[in-house]
């Protein structure tokens, strides 16, 4: 493994596909200790556990510390922009939201790196800061999540209640009657507007509360303590005793453990022929998404860049998470006491539609996952 601007010592790759084009990601740019190659038919192969290694003259401090300092500087820059665009005289709500997203991104990367490379850092400091950054990132994420969920559900309702409603968009799979398509469209049309209004009330209220919680968090002494800790990190990375003189090879072991946890989790995902609408399986997919994120961050630390081979798979898992949460919001709204039958019907169709999107995201993930062997089932 190497950072792009550093020398490496690599093993030969005799099994690399002949005729590889310049657009194909180089072997050392795939993952911690892995190599993704393709055979003549273009099929993805399993990761190679003995991939490239960083140059021996690099130290752990020379690789890990600059990454953490850079993310800390980005955190502080985003915080400053957020303060500037959140001032009462400033009307740049979009800029404030962009600054918040950047703040969350840097917080996640610092937190993930503290988790993966804990052995190279002061463990007590790493655990405390990681927990506080997780609290901050989660608090800031809720408002954005509710807004996106509402937009997703309203758009889905609009499409479902149109004249081209499919006959079996999962309605019968969740126990709806076998009424004709025309009757189904008519019933959905009656309830869609009320369902949309109900969802808007519920999710707008949740978004408003999350916005207030985020503002309170950003003004709290707890947040100021986190910001102070990150400011110190921007200039000083507390390493574990004896770490400073160790070579960067020491970072490969935790990075490869993070990758192996991801591969194990993906291999354990239910096969694509399992019964649909099985919401009990969602947790395993959420776990794979979190492990993929940790792997991405470890890849950035060791190689200095994101892993391009996993971009599609990561996007599919994000869509999976969004569809799962949207389906949950529709189901929760359907449990509202004393709602009209047409409203409940529309919410049931919406729930089925979002579970259909969950299955579609799982299919896309399997199609874009670059390590085919990890998806094989016993």
């Amino acid at each position: 493994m190497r950072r792009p601007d550093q020398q490496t010592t690599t093993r030969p790759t005799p099994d690399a596909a002949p005729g590889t084009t310049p657009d194909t990601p180089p072997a050392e740019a795939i993952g911690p200790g892995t190599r993704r190659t393709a055979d003549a038919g273009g099929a993805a192969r399993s990761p190679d556990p003995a991939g490239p290694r960083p140059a021996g003259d690099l130290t752990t401090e020379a690789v890990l510390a600059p990454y953490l300092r850079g993310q800390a500087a980005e955190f502080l820059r985003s915080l400053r922009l957020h303060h500037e665009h959140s001032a009462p005289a400033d009307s740049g709500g979009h800029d404030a939201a962009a600054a918040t997203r950047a703040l969350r991104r840097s917080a996640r990367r610092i937190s993930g790196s503290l988790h993966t490379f804990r052995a190279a850092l002061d463990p007590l400091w790493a655990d405390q800061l990681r927990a506080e950054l997780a609290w901050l990132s989660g608090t800031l994420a809720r408002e954005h999540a509710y807004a996106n969920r509402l937009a997703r559900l309203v758009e889905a309702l609009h499409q479902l209640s149109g004249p081209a409603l499919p006959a079996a968009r999962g309605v019968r799979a969740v126990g709806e009657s076998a009424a004709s398509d025309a009757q189904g469209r008519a019933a959905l049309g009656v309830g869609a507007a009320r369902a949309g209004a109900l969802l808007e009330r519920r999710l707008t209220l949740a978004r408003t509360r999350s916005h207030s919680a985020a503002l309170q968090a950003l003004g709290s002494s707890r947040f100021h303590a986190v910001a102070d800790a990150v400011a110190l990190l921007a200039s000083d990375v507390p390493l574990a005793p004896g770490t400073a003189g160790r070579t960067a090879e020491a970072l490969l072991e935790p990075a490869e453990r993070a990758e192996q946890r991801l591969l194990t989790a993906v291999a354990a995902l239910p096969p694509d022929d399992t019964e649909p609408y099985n919401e009990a399986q969602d947790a395993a997919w959420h776990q794979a998404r979190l492990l993929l994120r940790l792997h991405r961050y470890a890849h950035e630390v060791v190689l200095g860049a994101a892993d391009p081979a996993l971009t599609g798979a990561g996007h599919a898992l994000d869509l999976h998470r969004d569809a799962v949460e949207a389906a949950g919001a529709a189901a929760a709204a359907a449990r509202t006491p004393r709602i009209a039958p047409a409203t409940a019907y529309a919410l049931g169709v919406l729930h089925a539609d979002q579970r259909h999107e969950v299955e579609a995201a799982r299919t896309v993930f399997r199609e874009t996952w670059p390590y085919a062997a990890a998806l094989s089932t016993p």
Side-chain angles (χ1 to χ4, degrees):
M1 302 184 67
R2 66 174 175 85
R3 299 171 66 93
D5 56 348
Q6 294 166 354
Q7 298 296 319
T8 63
T9 302
T10 63
R11 300 189 306 126
T13 56
D15 56 342
T20 301
T21 67
D23 292 335
T24 303
E28 64 270 22
I30 296 303
T34 67
R35 183 175 70 251
R36 179 177 181 266
T37 60
D39 56 23
R45 296 182 180 176
S46 301
D48 182 352
R53 294 294 185 262
D57 57 348
L58 290 175
T59 64
T60 294
E61 182 178 19
V63 175
L64 179 58
Y67 179 84
L68 289 174
R69 286 197 296 265
Q71 293 301 325
E74 181 61 28
F75 180 98
L76 298 174
R77 186 181 307 112
S78 302
L79 180 59
R80 184 180 66 254
L81 291 174
H82 184 275
H83 287 331
E84 291 175 357
H85 295 298
S86 298
D90 191 287
S91 59
H94 176 75
D95 292 333
T100 300
R101 288 193 296 271
L103 191 65
R104 287 170 42 216
R105 279 197 301 271
S106 55
R108 288 196 306 264
R109 279 168 168 74
I110 296 171
S111 178
S113 300
L114 296 181
H115 172 78
T116 300
F117 301 105
R118 180 179 183 274
L121 301 161
D122 180 315
L124 180 61
W125 167 83
D127 291 345
Q128 290 177 340
L129 182 55
R130 180 166 62 90
E132 292 303 283
L133 288 171
W135 159 76
L136 176 63
S137 179
T139 301
L140 297 180
R142 292 189 188 101
E143 179 185 0
H144 179 71
Y146 283 124
N148 282 356
R149 201 168 306 157
L150 177 59
R152 180 188 185 94
L153 289 170
V154 169
E155 175 62 21
L157 268 178
H158 175 72
Q159 294 183 5
L160 289 169
S161 61
L165 175 66
R169 186 72 163 177
V171 176
R172 293 185 178 88
V174 292
E176 296 293 343
S177 66
S180 68
D181 298 343
Q183 290 173 328
R185 282 194 294 269
L188 183 57
V190 171
R194 292 180 180 177
L198 176 60
L199 287 167
E200 185 165 3
R201 286 196 303 270
R202 291 173 60 93
L203 293 176
T204 299
L205 176 60
R207 180 186 179 184
T208 300
R209 289 174 173 170
S210 298
H211 179 73
S212 298
L215 291 179
Q216 290 176 359
L218 292 174
S220 67
S221 58
R222 182 178 184 181
F223 170 74
H224 288 300
V226 175
D228 289 344
V230 174
L232 291 175
L233 176 61
S235 59
D236 179 36
V237 178
L239 298 172
T243 299
R246 298 177 66 186
T247 67
E249 293 275 347
L251 296 177
L252 288 172
E253 183 177 351
E256 289 171 353
R257 281 200 303 268
E259 182 185 50
Q260 189 55 51
R261 286 193 295 268
L262 168 64
L263 296 177
T264 300
V266 171
L269 290 173
D272 56 5
D273 58 354
T274 54
E275 183 178 342
Y277 303 106
N278 189 342
E279 297 179 11
Q281 297 174 355
D282 292 342
W285 288 85
H286 293 331
Q287 179 67 7
R289 176 178 172 273
L290 293 176
L291 292 174
L292 176 55
R293 175 182 287 178
L294 288 175
H295 165 66
R296 284 174 48 214
Y297 299 161
H299 193 281
E300 289 179 1
V301 170
V302 179
L303 292 179
D307 185 347
L310 294 176
T311 299
H315 181 61
L317 291 179
D318 288 342
L319 292 177
H320 178 276
R321 185 271 318 272
D322 293 345
V324 166
E325 293 181 346
R335 293 191 291 269
T336 302
R338 298 182 299 279
I339 60 174
T343 306
Y345 175 75
L347 290 169
V349 173
L350 183 59
H351 172 269
D353 174 76
Q354 291 304 301
R355 291 305 305 181
H356 175 87
E357 294 299 320
V358 169
E359 296 300 324
R362 292 178 182 180
T363 298
V364 171
F365 173 80
R366 292 185 177 99
E367 292 172 348
T368 55
W369 179 250
Y371 306 134
L375 284 174
S376 62
T377 54

